[in-house]
Amino acid sequence: MDMFVIRGGTPLAGTVTINGAKNAALPIMAAALASSGPSVLQDVPDLVDVRTLCKLLSELGMNVNRDASGDLRLEVVDDRPHAADYELVRTMRASVCVLGPLLARRGRACISLPGGCNIGDRPIDLHLKGLAALGADIRVERGYVIAEAGRLRGARIYLGGPFGSTVTGTCNIMVAAALARGKTTIESAACEPEVVDLGNYLNNMGARISGLGTPFLEIDGVEELTGTTHRIVPDRIEAATLMIAAAVTNGDVELKNVRSQHLTAVLEKLSEIGVKIANVGENRLRITTSGELRAADCIALPYPGIPTDVQAQLMSLLACTPGISVITDKVFPDRFMHAAELARMGAMIRREGPSAIINGAGQLSGAAVMASDLRASAALVIAGLSAQGDSAIRRIYHLDRGYERLERKLRQLGAHIERVEDRADTFPHSLRLDQPQTAAELTGPHWSHPIANTTSQKRSA
Ligand code: EPZ
């Protein structure tokens, strides 16, 4: 198992390019199951979740491979398989995205119910309600969803839930309706850019979907979807993560391949906190700070609000920002596992129901911390970059699910971060209780001596 070892205090500087979005790539790859011809997907990030889905799609009769240019080629070669087993689905909730395409194209699907996870309950009742409305016969048995259908038929579907719409639920229903007989309307559809990207992919394959990006979708079913070539939309969450890393280190960072129109709420909030964001060219943003950051309140909401997937990262920034800030997550009210780990670094955070009250007293101090989920891992990396001294962030397999070698990008920006095997002899000397941090270790942003004897164990990042 790997961990990150970080020495904080270095302002990030330089330029990095944002990858294609994980949360667009996954439903789009799954939607290829509904196509009768091959697709080529460009800018699909090389992530653990993408590899997990490639494995699942192969088991479902699809040839999936990356060509020399890095493009992902997908083609259905056997449309008889219809079951996604527990072992794969339990590691990745997004596997549920194969439900709609399998039903639409093969008339049946057997998918393990995704378990819960560290960010809260992850029900799929809205997915099942929508598919049933399209004419599917849905049963839940022994932890599996068993769905069967003849030709699906268009329906009027309301996808609003207690926490707003459902992103992957909208994806599932959109794909299923694209091949249904007749017209489907989806009210309270998710408006996230990743859902729009899936809709554009489907329309390029011959689907007839209108209203993309609004809560009201109209889908005229067609007989067939053919293959196409599609470039995945840039990852707004990765972009926001790197912006916050730049801000928290008082850095000067330029991001390429950023759609600022997908980040309006985040850019507004960062400006309110005192981060300077400048458009410096097509799809390029420059992030700097004027030094003085200000506390702010943040509410995570469905798009176009502040994404819940950026909430943890903002908490790390506000934990180092003088003043009292309040973060509320209206999408996943329990998504605060990162707060306790940030507290180990000196953050002062108090939970109050769906909110966290942060007293950003200033400097965090390095510590050994444990990642609990994908975006919490990113928050801990950000905190480690800003903290005084060394940090060890364990269980970064969570991070690898959604970021492609994040440490490589951060190192490119000057960060002192290394990926090492999580072993006693790679654990930073400065974090060992029996070896209190020396003044040099506490003050030195210089990489003056190995923080762990990582030379031998250092993983090639
Ligand atoms: C997608 O998850 C993203 N994952 C999540 O990103 C993201 O946090 C989430 O949308 C919200 O934006 C992918 O796209 C692969 P939801 P999803 O269905 O679709 C409730 C990351 O870090 N709900 O939009 O599973 C649900 O409990 C991941 O990249 C129901 O009640 O989320 C939640 O409170 C984490 N019934 C809210 O709706 C349902 O049938 C939003 O869930 C479905 C959801």
Side-chain angles (χ1 to χ4, degrees), residues 22-24 26-27 93-94 97 119 121-128 161-169 190 192 194 236-237 308-309 330-333 335 374-375:
K22 162 180 88 82
N23 291 347
L26 296 175
R93 172 186 165 77
C97 289
I119 66 175
D121 293 344
R122 307 297 297 272
I124 60 167
D125 56 303
L126 297 171
H127 298 234
L128 303 183
F163 303 97
S165 186
T166 162
V167 171
T168 49
E192 274 69 3
E194 296 77 24
R236 62 193 169 106
I237 308 300
T308 173
D309 293 347
K330 298 276 192 182
V331 180
F332 291 109
R335 191 176 193 169
L374 167 51
R375 306 303 175 181

Side-chain angles (χ1 to χ4, degrees), residues 2 418-427 429 432 450-461:
D2 289 352
E418 289 182 58
R419 178 187 288 262
V420 298
E421 200 164 335
D422 187 348
R423 300 218 321 256
D425 60 347
T426 57
F427 193 72
H429 298 295
R432 292 184 187 174
I451 47 177
N453 52 340
T454 58
T455 38
S456 53
Q457 283 86 13
K458 183 163 69 175
R459 293 291 184 93
S460 57

Side-chain angles (χ1 to χ4, degrees), residues 260-271 303-307:
S260 50
Q261 65 271 35
H262 294 162
L263 282 159
T264 305
V266 173
L267 299 181
E268 288 274 309
K269 188 53 67 177
L270 290 176
S271 303
Y303 191 84
I306 293 175

Side-chain angles (χ1 to χ4, degrees), residues 175-203:
V175 179
L179 285 174
R181 178 181 295 115
K183 181 179 191 126
T184 296
T185 58
I186 303 178
E187 294 179 57
S188 191
C191 306
E192 274 69 3
E194 296 77 24
V195 176
V196 174
D197 204 37
L198 170 64
N200 290 335
Y201 170 66
L202 291 169
N203 282 341

Side-chain angles (χ1 to χ4, degrees), residues 312-325:
Q313 300 91 311
L314 282 169
M315 185 180 285
S316 291
L317 174 61
L318 293 169
C320 316
T321 302
I324 302 293
S325 303

